[in-house]
Structures are given as C-alpha cells and as structure tokens.
Amino acid sequence: MLIRHDVFADRVKTTLARAGLPLASTFDDALSSGVYVEIADEERLPPQAFLKWRVHPILQEHFRTVPHNALLSDPQVRELRIAQEAMNTAVIAVLEGAGFSARLARGERAGEVLVGESAN
C-alpha cells in the first residue's frame, strides 16, 4: 500500500472519530463493531476507501441463528437496515462537511459508502 493511502485512511478515521462515530479497529468483523475503513484499490490514485457499518458481534450471532428464508421478516434485520441507512447518512454528512467526497456505493458494494478526496 502506498503511504498516501495510509495517510488518506488515517484522515478518514480521524474525521469520523472526532465526530464521535465508533471505528471498527480490526480486520475480523467478529472482533469489532463500528465503521470499518478499507482502501478501495491500493494502486489507484487519488485514493478511495469503502466504509462499512459493522454491527456488534452479539447481533452478528443472531443473524447466524435465523433461517435464511426468515431473514426478510426478522425484526432485528429490519432494525439493522434502518440503523445502517442512518449511519451511512451520518458518515456521508460528516465526511462531506470535512471536505471529502462521499456517496453510497453501488453494485456488489451496495450498502457501503465510497469516500474519496474532494475535487475542490
């Protein structure tokens, strides 16, 4: 990874932490919850990152116990979707306010936020 990518990821994390948002601190989603920052492409300049809202491991365990065909009707899944939408809205607002570009990702990364350096 280029140093510029590390600096960019640190700036994103610091911005979110200063706004009071929790950061997921480990690669393993079973060990930490909050906003997880992942560089989109380690070779691409300017750098971009995907941000994913990770739920607490207790809630992750619940999802593993719910039958696949019951996920859409499960109340905790609905609550998670509402929370993810609210967190994505907050993350985008915080990052745009700090001068980053931020938008909802599409395609296979739908549900995450794509953040980059501002064009300004």
Side-chain angles (χ1 to χ4, degrees):
M1 183 183 306
L2 299 172
I3 291 175
R4 183 168 176 185
H5 291 83
D6 285 336
V7 171
F8 174 74
D10 285 345
R11 283 182 35 234
V12 169
K13 291 175 188 177
T14 299
T15 300
L16 296 172
R18 285 186 177 151
L21 296 173
L23 298 174
S25 58
T26 65
F27 179 76
D28 186 347
D29 62 353
L31 299 176
S32 63
S33 57
V35 181
Y36 181 70
V37 178
E38 175 186 350
I39 292 297
D41 180 344
E42 295 179 358
E43 311 250 333
R44 181 172 197 247
L45 288 174
Q48 292 183 317
F50 286 104
L51 281 57
K52 181 179 181 179
W53 178 251
R54 287 186 177 169
V55 298
H56 192 277
I58 291 172
L59 189 53
Q60 289 177 24
E61 182 60 31
H62 169 74
F63 294 143
R64 284 190 281 277
T65 64
V66 177
H68 185 71
N69 62 350
L71 282 173
L72 293 177
S73 62
D74 185 80
Q76 286 184 288
V77 171
R78 283 194 306 270
E79 290 171 7
L80 170 63
R81 284 194 192 131
I82 292 167
Q84 284 177 325
E85 288 175 16
M87 291 309 298
N88 285 344
T89 299
V91 164
I92 289 170
V94 166
L95 292 172
E96 286 181 340
F100 292 94
S101 68
R103 64 175 172 77
L104 290 175
R106 296 185 202 113
E108 66 183 45
R109 302 298 294 251
E112 298 180 28
V113 173
L114 179 62
V115 60
E117 296 177 338
S118 178
N120 297 332

